[in-house]
Amino acid sequence: MPEPAVGPVVLDAADLNRALTRISHEIIESARGADDLIILGIPTRGAVLAHRLAERISAAEGLAVPSGSIDITMYRDDLNMRPARALGHTVIPSRGVDGKTVVLVDDVLFSGRTVRAALDAINDIGRPRAVRLAVIVDRGHRELPIRADHVGKNLPTHRGESVRVRLSEIDGQDEIVLLRDAEKQS
Amino acid sequence: MIEHLLSTADLSRDDAVLILDTAGEMENLTDRSVKKLPALRGRTVVNLFFEDSTRTRISFEAAAKRLSADVINFSAKGSSVSKGESLKDTALTLQAMGADAVVIRHGASGAPMRLASAGWIDGAVVNAGDGTHEHPTQALLDAYTIRRHLCGGSGDLAGLRVTIVGDVLHSRVARSNAWLLHTLGAQVTLVAPPTLVPVGVDSWPVTVSYDLDTVLPETDAVMMLRVQAERMNADFFPSTREYSRRYGLDAQRAALLPQRSIIMHPGPMVRGMEISDDIADSDRAVILEQVSNGVSVRMAVLYLLVGGSREGAGETS
């Protein structure tokens, strides 16, 4: 596969930092505090972002906000269309999600199918009081009636483009880049 | 990943670790309120058992059901097999019913291989024990149990010393374990009376010893095998008492094991023969945990073999 051309940097480390700080305050504001909040990220990068958000909210509110991750592989609507994939890691905070406000975190919001799968996965774990969605980049092209409550950056894209999110915990640096004319991503 | 699970010798290290990692995620399910995953919804798993088995069949059935598959249990007793139906006709019947996976236990070594390679069925074949040949999911759950206790639940088993004791000749568990544990980097030692060591063992990736007491102090996990009296058509040892005195694990012998080592048994146990009562029930025995890990491991196998599209299966990706 030819390397897609690397387009402009959408968010650099400082931008991402500011976006996360803003989102963490938005979450506190809309939940009227941080009691009964749980931040759940979708592996792999969503889980890292969830952890960062939980740390910021904990620091701002002075109480420990639990964070975890929820793997959606087995809930995907295209599960039967490709060879079985390795599962991501699921960590649900010990007190569960019942009656809590779950903030679901992913890096890029695109078709909305991942979020749909995550909602099904949450449904099998318990019954939260509410589920909110936070994403770093909303690139449009929704295929399902899903929208994010908290968005780092709205980024109009073409379908052929893709967004590459790199985070220091996994990739060694924080950077979000638009990849132009990418081959159809798998 | 591989297309069928017939033998642990077919598994690469990466495949084996992938199965164990997937089993680890499956295990999380046990503390959820809804103990079900949607991965195999609309798929049909057939348990085709030509030999008696309780724990393996129930374990596969639980695994398939927790993944939301439809499960059909087919045992030779009370089926057309007792009227003389051949394996081929049985297979074609299952194919016509649309089986996505066939879990087969058969008294004849090689029956699962025949089922997988004859072109009778499209589904994945999982060997649940064939004759004295292999029992791959048992070996995988043993490796999973060892990894959890001695390797912090991740990676492979590099450097661990595993000793398999007893009726190796008739044991498909021993054969599957020898290959899998070797692939995962463990050193395997077989201990058995000379009469119960199979011909051709020198081609296995193991060392063989006849003296349990010298091996135990250098063992991280010891696996006691059942003496399979039902498969013995000759006298392989003078008496039960002599066997258990030389190759049985009792408290005195278990004291030779290093502090952190674990004691395993694939079940069913013959207490007083290969393992004494107090050892079977001791804290170091992980025998019941092996059973519960069996469900997670079989979920992982079924998910990886039939959870995705069958096209492109068998390719490395």
Side-chain angles (χ1 to χ4, degrees):
Chain A
M1 193 197 285
E3 277 287 300
V6 177
V9 173
V10 181
L11 295 172
D12 62 19
D15 296 331
L16 179 64
N17 206 16
R18 282 189 284 270
L20 286 171
T21 304
R22 175 173 54 77
I23 291 172
S24 60
H25 285 100
E26 283 180 16
I27 291 170
I28 298 166
E29 195 180 1
S30 66
R32 298 208 174 109
D35 308 319
D36 291 338
L37 266 185
I38 289 185
I39 319 293
L40 286 183
I42 298 172
T44 351
R45 287 176 182 73
V48 171
L49 292 166
H51 185 67
R52 287 198 201 175
L53 280 172
E55 276 184 345
R56 274 155 218 254
I57 296 168
S58 303
E61 288 293 288
L63 56 89
V65 173
S67 70
S69 60
I70 184 158
D71 181 53
I72 56 113
T73 309
M74 285 186 279
Y75 294 85
R76 295 178 71 111
D77 55 9
D78 61 352
L79 184 69
N80 294 347
M81 292 155 76
R82 282 189 246 160
R85 278 170 265 221
L87 302 181
H89 197 40
T90 297
V91 184
I92 304 299
S94 56
R95 278 153 58 217
V97 299
D98 290 342
K100 308 281 171 58
T101 296
V102 171
V103 180
L104 201 56
V105 183
D106 203 0
D107 48 1
V108 179
L109 180 59
F110 183 28
S111 66
R113 290 177 189 268
T114 303
V115 175
R116 202 262 334 141
L119 290 171
D120 281 357
I122 289 173
N123 199 37
D124 279 356
I125 291 165
R127 184 182 184 280
R129 194 175 62 77
V131 180
R132 310 278 179 230
L133 176 62
V135 298
I136 295 305
V137 173
D138 180 351
R139 58 166 295 194
H141 304 289
R142 213 77 75 243
E143 292 162 8
L144 294 170
I146 280 168
R147 63 164 178 79
D149 300 278
H150 312 288
V151 179
K153 185 173 178 63
N154 283 298
L155 182 68
T157 57
H158 295 296
R159 274 190 174 275
E161 293 171 329
S162 65
V163 178
R164 184 176 72 193
V165 177
R166 306 177 73 185
L167 298 173
S168 56
E169 291 89 332
I170 300 168
D171 312 293
Q173 70 175 114
D174 283 354
E175 185 187 60
I176 296 168
V177 180
L178 187 65
L179 302 179
R180 301 224 184 265
D181 305 314
E183 297 279 309
K184 206 175 160 212
Q185 292 286 306
S186 55
Chain B
M1 258 303 278
I2 49 166
E3 204 175 337
H4 308 281
L5 181 60
L6 304 175
S7 159
T8 52
D10 300 339
L11 290 172
S12 67
R13 179 201 169 272
D14 288 352
D15 280 347
V17 170
L18 174 64
I19 293 171
L20 301 187
D21 288 346
T22 306
E25 293 301 327
M26 296 297 182
E27 198 190 334
N28 283 337
L29 193 66
T30 42
D31 34 73
R32 291 172 42 163
S33 58
V34 179
K35 290 188 193 9
K36 231 173 171 51
L37 289 164
L40 299 189
R41 214 176 53 184
R43 301 292 175 113
T44 301
V45 175
V46 177
N47 284 326
L48 182 58
F49 277 63
F50 292 93
E51 259 191 359
D52 290 337
S53 157
T54 39
R55 77 190 65 215
T56 305
R57 190 183 58 73
I58 290 170
S59 182
F60 267 110
E61 185 172 351
K65 284 181 170 168
R66 285 189 185 174
L67 291 172
S68 309
D70 295 316
V71 180
I72 298 174
N73 286 316
F74 182 111
S75 70
K77 252 177 235 160
S79 75
S80 296
V81 172
S82 58
K83 300 173 192 162
E85 188 176 61
S86 68
L87 179 62
K88 178 178 177 180
D89 287 328
T90 306
L92 292 174
T93 307
L94 300 178
Q95 170 68 8
M97 289 194 303
D100 295 293
V102 177
V103 176
I104 177 173
R105 162 158 301 189
H106 202 290
S109 303
M113 172 62 109
R114 180 88 179 116
L115 190 62
S117 57
W120 300 328
I121 57 168
D122 295 331
V125 175
V126 181
N127 182 359
D130 59 333
T132 57
H133 177 229
E134 285 233 27
H135 191 355
T137 56
Q138 176 71 41
L140 285 161
L141 75 88
D142 289 336
Y144 182 80
T145 307
I146 294 171
R147 191 175 85 154
R148 258 193 64 164
H149 277 270
L150 303 175
C151 304
S154 65
D156 60 18
L157 307 178
L160 283 183
R161 299 158 304 177
V162 181
T163 301
I164 302 175
V165 186
D167 185 359
V168 177
L169 179 64
H170 299 102
S171 177
R172 49 198 177 206
V173 176
R175 204 168 303 246
S176 286
N177 261 306
W179 289 105
L180 179 68
L181 296 174
H182 170 74
T183 302
L184 287 169
Q187 300 165 29
V188 182
T189 305
L190 303 178
V191 181
T195 50
L196 289 174
V197 174
V199 177
V201 77
D202 39 321
S203 67
W204 297 19
V206 298
T207 42
V208 177
S209 165
Y210 304 115
D211 183 6
L212 188 51
D213 291 341
T214 58
V215 177
L216 285 179
E218 325 233 292
T219 293
D220 299 306
V222 59
M223 210 176 278
M224 305 307 298
L225 299 174
R226 182 173 65 91
V227 176
Q228 301 194 32
E230 77 278 14
R231 293 187 206 272
M232 290 188 182
N233 50 10
D235 292 327
F236 288 92
F237 45 83
S239 72
T240 306
R241 257 185 65 198
E242 168 142 357
Y243 179 88
S244 90
R245 206 168 61 225
R246 295 197 55 181
Y247 297 100
L249 192 64
D250 56 15
Q252 202 181 352
R253 205 163 250 150
L256 297 171
L257 285 164
Q259 201 63 43
R260 62 167 207 154
S261 58
I262 55 171
I263 296 167
M264 309 171 73
H265 194 300
M269 287 185 277
V270 185
R271 288 168 182 255
M273 179 80 142
E274 69 267 6
I275 191 164
S276 72
D277 255 326
D278 48 346
I279 291 304
D281 298 328
S282 70
D283 291 344
R284 305 174 85 176
V286 294
I287 297 162
L288 282 177
E289 198 192 309
Q290 287 173 269
V291 177
S292 55
N293 289 342
V295 178
S296 306
V297 165
R298 289 174 177 120
M299 286 172 77
V301 167
L302 288 173
Y303 166 70
L304 291 169
L305 290 181
V306 284
S309 141
R310 296 280 295 151
E311 279 145 49
E315 288 168 18
T316 48
S317 66

